[in-house]
């Protein structure tokens, strides 16, 4: 049976098993109908021209994992930022693991989507925010239809999440092939702050297909820093759909580090719903083999005096492929906007490819917008300079690649995370540079 | 220490070096002067091992060993240092980190462990003071936005850190003001010993007042056409190159 049909026929059982009486029963039922008519995207769609899901969809995924698998902390420690205190929401094969997690309800709520969807005290938040900014398409509808578990984070007005929050999704390989659909909702109220780190990690080489949806709401003057670590096995594919809505003077940043996975697609939309918003989207992609990473971004400037900064760096080796499709939409009312976008790429191999397509649609007249896209190789003159100082070719190349990506790291505001990413980059590049990156 | 015999080198099938002979012994200072485009930087790049240049004839022997097959990094490990005419800007790598990578690569090549961090910092501080470099340069991206003179000073700082056997200074004086020139020359002189050697490439006799050469060579169209003592530099300063070109005819 095709995956689409399998999902549709599983829906009734899914709803019955969990909660037909749930408030969002109707939302889910509508969503499955939408998915039924829209299906998975195909390369015929403009936005999917360079990314084909064919090889991902061909597996016979089990869509409801049976039970929680007992993972021990020592098995997964290395996938966590463990040298600092954090809140943790750990999911194993899509199921919440209470013993690996650390939640809170003390002034802020760091807990589960399943409880937020079922407990009446969260109803106002769910009513106000759940599924409000998710564009209609096959993948989003599919996730909504099966939305049940994931992270629920609510930082109340004037509160600060006192430590970073990690959302980590493991797949164990207990199923021969697994599809999971995490659904996260993050609401950061007026004058509040949160730092969130998200990771998807497969523990075996069984195929895993993740289709996740995350909605993030930043209230007035809220500050949200969100980091995604995408460093998965070559058997794991991820479609990450993340939507951010910002109220006035809020500052939101998204850093995406894509170092591995079979196919990774990031659909990232920022909607500015007030003046003086600041949106940052940055990414470093370093891949090889036949890996594929696609960044599809949108910044929607609706109000005046806002800023957006996009800076995506990509290093592609062997047969890997990259896509950058960045859209900046500036409405007529959105005067005095600064919108910057840059996408720089290095191809290390003749066989590697990148498709970079910036799209600016500007209807206001008093704006500063710029975009730049470069595709190149490592600079020979720089390589010679480094080698003439005794740095061997491999290290010299790594140093230049690190230097190339470095400015994306500068804005990472969790020092331990920054350290971790830099050492992952060094590992990825297979070098020790004689200093800690 | 260095013996170059009948060196011919091409770039993109165009012959630039047309039979260079040069011998440098420990303790000596040599200067090469010559008009623009005569091949001075090409010679220094070929000695340092730049791969774009193709050696078609001749040999380069350094400390008794043939350099031809060695990578630039291996030549550096053997003690050859090139101060670039145009140092490359590398955004995203600080001077300090770059220096750590460079020095530790040298140590590794010699079978030594990485230099302990505090020792490294101490050495970096010492050598940067020798060149009277502002401390804040050390944390800046390598050469990025450095003025011409600052880049050159940074080159000699690196030389001081690596303490090479043979230092080739390609127009290190250009871009330096008088004070900086003295500081840089003083730095070079402090590093001078009976065991190492310096090859200075310059257009100006002025530098040679500070770094006094034992031999001055004139390069014309890919060949060393005349050699002499430091007096030759004065003569060139006064008379230019035409008379030598005439002599060649
Ligand atoms: N990459 C290259 N491609 C083509 N020609 C080159 C290249 N590099 C050098 N040349 C040529 O080789 C010749 C010698 O250049 P080189 O830089 O060695 O001269 P130079 O003596 O150092 O000059 P200057 O005093 O101006 O620094 C020049 O004619 C130059 O144009
Ligand atoms: Mg030159």
């Amino acid at each position: 049976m095709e995956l689409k049909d399998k999902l549709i026929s599983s829906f009734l059982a899914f709803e019955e098993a969990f909660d037909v009486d749930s408030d969002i029963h109707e939302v889910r039922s509508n969503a499955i109908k939408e998915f039924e008519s829209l299906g998975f995207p195909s390369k015929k769609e403009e936005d999917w021209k360079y990314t084909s899901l064919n090889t991902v969809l061909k597996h016979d995924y089990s869509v409801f994992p049976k039970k929680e698998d007992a993972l021990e902390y020592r098995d997964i420690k290395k996938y966590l930022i463990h040298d600092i205190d954090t809140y943790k929401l750990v999911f194993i094969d899509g199921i919440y693991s209470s013993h690996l997690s650390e939640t809170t309800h003390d002034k802020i709520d760091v807990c589960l989507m399943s409880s937020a969807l079922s407990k009446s005290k969260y109803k106002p938040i769910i009513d106000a925010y759940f599924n409000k900014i998710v564009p209609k398409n096959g993948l989003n509808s599919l996730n909504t239809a099966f939305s049940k578990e994931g992270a629920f984070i609510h930082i109340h007005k004037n509160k600060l999440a006192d430590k970073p929050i990690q959302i980590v999704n493991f797949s164990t390989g207990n199923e021969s092939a697994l599809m999971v659909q995490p659904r996260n909702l993050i609401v950061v109220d007026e004058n509040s702050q949160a730092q969130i780190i998200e990771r998807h990690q497969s523990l075996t080489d069984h195929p895993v297909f993740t289709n996740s949806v995350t909605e993030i709401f930043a209230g007035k003057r809220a500050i949200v820093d969100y980091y995604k670590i995408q460093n998965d096995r070559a058997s794991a594919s991820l479609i990450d759909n993340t939507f951010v809505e910002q109220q006035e003077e809020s500052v939101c940043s998204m850093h995406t580090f894509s170092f591995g996975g079979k196919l990774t697609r990031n659909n990232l939309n920022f909607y500015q719903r007030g003046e003086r918003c600041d949106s940052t989207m940055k990414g470093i992609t370093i891949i090889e083999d036949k890996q594929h990473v696609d960044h599809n971004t949108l910044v929607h400037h609706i109000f005046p005096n806002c800023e957006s900064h996009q800076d995506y760096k990509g290093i592609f080796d062997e047969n890997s492929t990259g896509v950058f499709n960045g859209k900046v939409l500036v409405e007529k009312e959105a005067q005095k906007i600064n919108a910057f976008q840059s996408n720089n790429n290095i191809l290390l191999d003749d066989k590697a490819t990148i498709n970079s397509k910036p799209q600016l649609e500007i209807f206001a007249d008093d704006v500063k917008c710029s975009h730049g896209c470069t595709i190149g190789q490592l600079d020979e003159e720089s390589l010679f300079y480094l080698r003439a100082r005794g740095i061997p070719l491999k290290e010299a190349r790594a140093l230049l690649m690190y230097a190339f990506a470095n400015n994306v790291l500068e804005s990472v505001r969790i020092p331990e995370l920054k350290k971790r990413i830099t050492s992952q980059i060094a590992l990825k590049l297979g070098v020790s540079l004689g200093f800690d990156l | 220490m260095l013996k170059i015999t009948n060196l011919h080198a091409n770039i993109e099938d165009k012959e630039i070096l047309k039979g260079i002979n040069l011998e440098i012994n420990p303790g000596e200072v040599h200067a090469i002067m010559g008009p623009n485009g005569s091949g001075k930087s090409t010679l220094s790049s070929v000695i340092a091992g730049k791969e774009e240049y193709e050696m078609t004839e001749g040999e380069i022997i350094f400390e008794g060993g043939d350099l031809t097959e060695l990578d630039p990094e291996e030549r550096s490990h053997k003690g050859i240092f090139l101060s670039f005419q145009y140092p490359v800007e590398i955004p995203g790598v600080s001077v300090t980190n770059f220096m750590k990578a460079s020095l530790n690569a040298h140590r590794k090549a010699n079978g030594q462990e990485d230099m302990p961090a505090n020792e490294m910092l101490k050495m970096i501080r010492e050598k940067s003071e020798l060149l009277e470099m502002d401390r804040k340069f050390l944390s800046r991206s390598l050469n990025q936005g450095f003025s011409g003179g600052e880049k050159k000073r940074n080159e000699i700082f690196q030389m001081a850190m690596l303490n090479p056997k043979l230092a080739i200074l390609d127009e290190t004086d250009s871009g330096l003001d008088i004070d900086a020139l003295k500081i840089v020359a003083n730095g070079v002189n402090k590093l001078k010993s009976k065991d190492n050697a310096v090859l200075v490439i310059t257009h100006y006799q002025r530098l040679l007042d500070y770094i006094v050469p034992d031999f001055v060579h004139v390069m014309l169209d890919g060949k060393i056409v005349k050699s002499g003592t430091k007096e030759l530099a004065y003569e060139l300063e006064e008379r230019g190159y035409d008379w030598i070109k005439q002599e060649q005819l």
Side-chain angles (χ1 to χ4, degrees), chain B residues 41 85 170-171:
Chain B
S41 295
Q85 181 174 2
D170 191 357
E171 296 200 22

Side-chain angles (χ1 to χ4, degrees), chain B residues 33-41 85-86 171 203-204 219-221 241 245:
Chain B
M33 303 181 82
N36 294 131
S38 55
K40 304 181 298 297
S41 295
Q85 181 174 2
Y86 304 108
E171 296 200 22
H203 287 292
Y204 306 104
M219 190 145 163
L220 268 187
D221 191 25
Y241 294 105
K245 284 181 191 160

Side-chain angles (χ1 to χ4, degrees), chain A residues 3 6-7 56 59-67 69 91-95 169-182 201-211 235-238:
Chain A
L3 183 58
K6 182 172 182 175
L7 285 159
V56 176
H59 295 287
D60 185 22
Y61 296 105
S62 83
V63 289
F64 309 120
K66 315 286 174 303
K67 59 167 178 33
D69 188 72
F91 302 91
I92 300 170
D93 295 337
I95 296 171
N169 300 276
F170 290 104
S171 42
T172 58
N174 279 355
E175 311 283 340
S176 62
L178 176 70
M179 178 170 181
V180 283
Q181 302 204 66
Q201 186 63 49
S202 171
L203 301 172
T204 67
D205 289 328
H206 289 177
V208 178
F209 174 26
T210 303
N211 176 42
S235 51
S237 294
L238 168 66

Side-chain angles (χ1 to χ4, degrees), chain B residues 136-178:
Chain B
K136 66 176 187 286
F137 277 98
L138 299 172
S139 53
R140 277 175 60 178
S141 279
L142 186 60
N143 292 325
Q144 194 189 21
F146 285 23
S147 74
E150 287 161 355
K151 284 181 182 163
K152 297 304 173 70
R153 206 186 283 221
N154 185 33
E155 293 289 286
I156 302 306
F157 159 69
Q158 293 174 35
M159 172 185 162
M161 289 291 294
L162 296 174
N163 193 20
K165 289 190 185 129
L166 173 67
I168 304 167
L169 312 182
D170 191 357
E171 296 200 22
T172 300
D173 53 335
S174 60
L176 292 179
D177 62 47
I178 281 289

Side-chain angles (χ1 to χ4, degrees), chain B residues 11-12 14-17 34-45 50 52-53 85-86 170-171 201-203 219 222:
Chain B
I11 184 143
E12 290 160 6
K14 184 177 154 213
E15 185 164 67
I16 311 282
L17 301 183
N36 294 131
S38 55
K40 304 181 298 297
S41 295
T42 303
L43 175 63
S44 38
S45 297
K50 194 168 186 181
E52 282 89 329
Y53 297 98
Q85 181 174 2
Y86 304 108
D170 191 357
E171 296 200 22
I201 293 168
T202 183
H203 287 292
M219 190 145 163

Side-chain angles (χ1 to χ4, degrees), chain B residues 173-240:
Chain B
D173 53 335
S174 60
L176 292 179
D177 62 47
I178 281 289
D179 293 337
L181 184 72
K182 284 183 196 160
I183 293 163
V184 163
N186 178 42
V188 173
N189 288 331
K190 280 225 171 89
L191 297 166
K192 201 69 220 56
S193 80
K194 65 176 189 353
D195 300 318
N196 60 25
V198 183
L199 175 61
V200 187
I201 293 168
T202 183
H203 287 292
Y204 306 104
Q205 190 279 324
R206 190 182 67 171
L207 175 69
L208 304 179
D209 283 343
Y210 298 102
I211 304 175
V212 183
D214 301 297
F215 301 96
V216 174
H217 310 277
V218 180
M219 190 145 163
L220 268 187
D221 191 25
K223 276 187 281 217
I224 289 179
V225 295
K226 199 174 183 69
S227 298
T229 57
K230 64 173 191 280
E231 280 69 33
L232 180 56
Y234 287 104
E235 198 168 354
L236 292 171
E237 181 98 343
E238 223 158 83
R239 298 176 63 193

